[in-house]
Amino acid sequence: MAILRGEQGAVQFSPTGSSNATIVGTRSWTLSITKDTLDVTDHGDTTRAFIGSLVSGSGTVELVYDPDAAGQATFIEDIITAADPADATFELFTTGTASGTDSVSFAGIITSMDIASTVGELVVVTCNFITSGAITSNLE
């Protein structure tokens, strides 16, 4: 049984969906996927029955801020895209950065960005996102 440590994860991103680039300084990422359900209970049944319906996702990417780190400025500044067409692509890796391996990929929109600077501590940026369209799981 393999045990994965957080240091093995990574995030790749492209604001236009053309070619994802690794975001240097990624501290953590989270992804929550939910599936709606539809009640398909027939009249007269004594127990409820359900089927799966629409799938959606949301999450966060936390970065240790470095203005010179590759990919950070592009990622952080995507929040200021008004009328965002959800063409940005994300790939969240549990280990490595080989596209399509031990990852989850999707198109999405960055919905908020927080930056915090505390004396004596690292400057941390947190970006929240939602998925748009299909979510592809390549988890092994």
Side-chain angles (χ1 to χ4, degrees):
M1 178 170 129
I3 303 296
L4 299 178
R5 297 182 310 270
E7 68 192 46
Q8 297 166 315
V11 174
Q12 290 186 350
F13 175 78
S14 171
T16 60
S18 57
S19 180
N20 285 356
T22 300
I23 301 172
V24 175
T26 298
R27 184 169 164 170
S28 66
W29 62 261
T30 64
L31 174 64
S32 297
I33 301 173
T34 59
K35 183 188 309 183
D36 294 340
T37 57
L38 300 173
D39 188 333
V40 294
T41 307
D42 291 332
H43 185 69
D45 285 353
T46 58
T47 58
R48 292 204 175 273
F50 297 89
I51 61 169
S53 182
L54 300 174
V55 175
S56 62
S58 64
T60 62
V61 174
E62 187 178 62
L63 309 170
V64 174
Y65 181 67
D66 178 353
D68 299 323
Q72 277 195 12
T74 301
F75 184 72
I76 293 168
E77 291 172 3
D78 197 57
I79 185 64
I80 60 174
T81 302
D84 195 328
D87 60 350
T89 53
F90 296 71
E91 191 161 6
L92 310 177
F93 295 88
T94 57
T95 182
T97 57
S99 186
T101 305
D102 284 332
S103 65
V104 180
S105 57
F106 51 88
I109 299 172
I110 296 177
T111 58
S112 67
M113 186 273 294
D114 299 308
I115 187 164
S117 179
T118 304
V119 174
E121 295 185 17
L122 297 171
V123 176
V124 176
V125 177
T126 303
C127 293
N128 297 297
F129 61 83
I130 59 170
T131 63
S132 179
I135 300 169
T136 303
S137 175
N138 299 303
L139 297 174
E140 297 179 356

